[in-house]
Amino acid sequence: RICVITLAEAHPLLQSGKTIKNINYQISANCSRLQNKVSGKSKRTCLFVFQMQGAQFLTELAPLCRISSSDGEEYTIYSCIRGRLIEVNENILSNPALLQEKPSTEGYIAVVLPKFEESKSITQGLLTQKEYEEVLMKRRSSAS
């Protein structure tokens, strides 16, 4: 039920051989994702129940971070789902290459916990790997 936010396989930072210069979790003057401090505990019953305090609430269009590449391009990475920000990956700040070298494991961007009642609809709305590849093929053919 938790969502790990990563760069998509087709993201320009993973396709073009660009070098990542900087990752910034400072979204605005008053909002830093690094200030997200989750406290609380989880209890085990028939379901995991999280009692969290301090977790930032994100909408689908909430920026998580901005990534600058060595060629001057800047990419804003969005949450894409509604939920509570559980964790940001601070390891990519000191080692930005993790985003490109291990994007689906150690190079993740953040972990988001959607509301329990919304998690099923989020899961049902996801593309399969095959559907995702079909979307990419359509994009490539229309761009040519």
Side-chain angles (χ1 to χ4, degrees), residues 8 10 17 43 50 53 63 65 67 72 74 89 91 94-96 105-106 119 125-126 139-140:
K43 296 180 182 177
F50 290 89
Q53 298 170 343
C65 67
I67 303 172
E74 183 176 271
N89 185 1
N91 294 329
S94 58
N95 188 1
T105 57
E106 296 170 51
S119 60
L126 296 175
R139 274 192 203 162
R140 290 181 189 125

Side-chain angles (χ1 to χ4, degrees), residues 4-40:
V4 179
I5 310 298
T6 65
L7 290 179
E9 292 174 21
H11 194 281
L13 284 167
L14 299 181
Q15 296 299 311
S16 61
K18 294 184 180 195
T19 303
I20 296 174
K21 184 174 83 173
N22 182 41
I23 300 164
N24 191 351
Y25 283 111
Q26 185 76 37
I27 302 308
S28 67
N30 297 324
C31 180
S32 171
R33 301 298 180 209
L34 292 173
Q35 298 304 314
N36 187 68
K37 300 298 178 203
V38 178
S39 63

